[in-house]
Amino acid sequence: MMKDYILKGNICYSQNLQTIRCVENGYVVCLNGKSAGVFDEIPEKYKNLAVKDFGDKLIIPGLVDMHVHAPQYSFRSIGMDMELLDWLEARAFPEEGKFSDVEYAKKAYGIFVDDLLKSATTRACIFASRHVEGTWVLMDLLEKSGLVSYVGKVNMDRNAPDYLKEENAEKSAEDTIRWIEGTAKHFQNTKPIITPRFIPSCTDPLMERLGEIQKEYNLPVQSHLSENLSEIELVKELCPTSKFYGDAYHQFGLFGGDVPTIMAHCVHPPKEEMEMMKEQGIFVAHCPQSNINVLSGIPPIRDFLDEGIRVGLGCDIAGGTVLSIFRAMIEAIQLSKLRWRLVDQSKRPLTVEEAFYLGTIGGGSFFGKVGSFEEGYELDAVVLDDTTLPYPQELTVAERLERMIYLSDERHVVGKFVRGKHLF
Ligand code: GUN
Ligand code: FE
């Protein structure tokens, strides 16, 4: 059984979309990997537990990345001057093709996992490439890191170059089953997730097989939805019978309901699609930096929140160029301000409290009780040292957190705990 302990420092976490609770010189009690609550003083019954004292540093819940492409990490920031479909063809597919080589995968994924570990992210939902062995390499590295993740072997049997496209639906399904059976019980913290790349990449027979595989193995699903206008037009051509993009997943049982499902982007959802997202309990992975870089647009995040649709944040490497979920928080706020200015002044921009919630509990709830220090939540914590960003005035803990959201990078992350386990 895991040792119980107490974290001491300036504790900050979301209580709801509007409120970040900050407890100066407070304590988080960790019992068997879960929070037993946040306190001003150590309660009598916990007096004998060891205290890990982080002094004046900030302690926040680990951040959650709802959407990232691990094989794209190697070319992040190179060649960003294209729209989504051209960029996939020119940049993403050629790089992902290299992951048929296990040695290359080890090298590239090693860099990705090292950097993810150093970041403020403790949990992630990750796309690998379509290759079984390479995906296994990634899962192995992630498991060793101590981070918690869902990882998808990507399915793609059309509209890609021969070196990357899977031979046919049946071969793609066989590979998927081989990968699931090899990995589903093999790892503690690293679990498979069904990952059709997006509708333009998957034939109907493949989607049908993935629907069956999802049921048989009872796995969650992740994909892309209504990201970019030219992509949406292509889906209309490819799926003339579906009512809207999301319906093309729904008809194969791959759109929420009993199936925990993440859809990345959702930049241009028609009204019926938004209704179905809500009904089916879809999690939106909002990836603001990617929406700018590959010229997708500004998603209606305020409408999603008003409708009660669940939203988390993603970096979407290499559509996005940095792993930081703090950056995703800032860019979510900034994009929402542009939407207010340019599209709809009846919809308030996001606040820093809301963005912090999205990057912690918003995505964390896909993993269960994750993203907060309220009693009963799994204890994922990150320790932030802001002493290298000095300030002359007095600041509250809440203001210091706000500075960390806007200014910090991995150099400020000096401690990390995942499911109660101390990683560094
Ligand atoms: N849609 C299908 N594949 C991708 C991808 O790799 N990145 C992004 N941003 N969108 C996609
Ligand atoms: Fe993506």
Side-chain angles (χ1 to χ4, degrees), residues 123-276:
R123 308 218 180 198
C125 302
I126 303 174
F127 281 52
S129 68
R130 63 93 157 160
H131 311 94
V132 175
E133 281 71 21
T135 303
W136 199 316
V137 165
L138 173 62
M139 293 173 84
D140 219 21
L141 289 165
L142 284 162
E143 184 72 12
K144 289 189 179 114
S145 76
L147 299 169
V148 175
S149 60
Y150 285 108
V151 177
K153 171 223 155 327
V154 169
N155 296 98
M156 46 192 300
D157 71 338
R158 68 175 171 190
N159 291 321
D162 287 343
Y163 61 80
L164 188 60
K165 192 168 61 182
E166 296 178 292
E167 227 169 88
N168 54 46
E170 203 37 53
K171 179 73 172 64
S172 178
E174 271 170 31
D175 272 3
T176 303
I177 291 169
R178 182 160 68 86
W179 158 69
I180 293 168
E181 297 202 334
T183 58
K185 296 198 178 80
H186 194 71
F187 301 115
Q188 281 281 320
N189 291 334
T190 317
K191 297 292 179 190
I193 180 167
I194 303 282
T195 306
R197 180 171 207 120
F198 66 161
I199 293 292
S201 294
C202 301
T203 60
D204 284 3
L206 174 55
M207 292 298 279
E208 206 167 307
R209 291 292 287 117
L210 291 179
E212 291 163 5
I213 293 169
Q214 187 287 320
K215 273 195 196 66
E216 187 173 343
Y217 294 92
N218 192 26
L219 296 178
V221 170
Q222 61 180 356
S223 194
H224 296 89
L225 178 66
S226 296
E227 176 179 1
N228 188 282
L229 293 174
S230 40
E231 168 217 20
I232 294 167
E233 280 312 303
L234 178 58
V235 171
K236 276 187 193 147
E237 281 169 36
L238 292 168
C239 308
T241 59
S242 46
K243 288 178 249 149
F244 44 86
Y245 194 156
D247 190 40
Y249 293 105
H250 186 248
Q251 61 190 355
F252 298 105
L254 296 169
F255 201 70
D258 297 334
V259 184
T261 301
I262 302 169
M263 286 288 155
H265 306 301
C266 309
V267 179
H268 306 284
K271 195 162 166 288
E272 309 89 292
E273 184 164 276
M274 229 163 99
E275 279 162 14
M276 189 185 270

Side-chain angles (χ1 to χ4, degrees), residues 225 244 250 255-257 261 263 266 269-284 303-310:
L225 178 66
F244 44 86
H250 186 248
F255 201 70
T261 301
M263 286 288 155
C266 309
K271 195 162 166 288
E272 309 89 292
E273 184 164 276
M274 229 163 99
E275 279 162 14
M276 189 185 270
M277 287 162 63
K278 183 180 173 174
E279 264 167 35
Q280 300 291 106
I282 297 296
F283 279 79
V284 175
D303 300 77
F304 294 154
L305 296 179
D306 288 348
E307 287 296 321
I309 293 171
R310 298 185 279 192

Side-chain angles (χ1 to χ4, degrees), residues 32-52:
N32 205 18
K34 291 189 177 155
S35 171
V38 175
F39 306 94
D40 291 308
E41 300 292 339
I42 302 176
E44 200 51 44
K45 60 182 171 180
Y46 302 130
K47 280 275 193 275
N48 58 347
L49 294 183
V51 175
K52 296 177 193 285

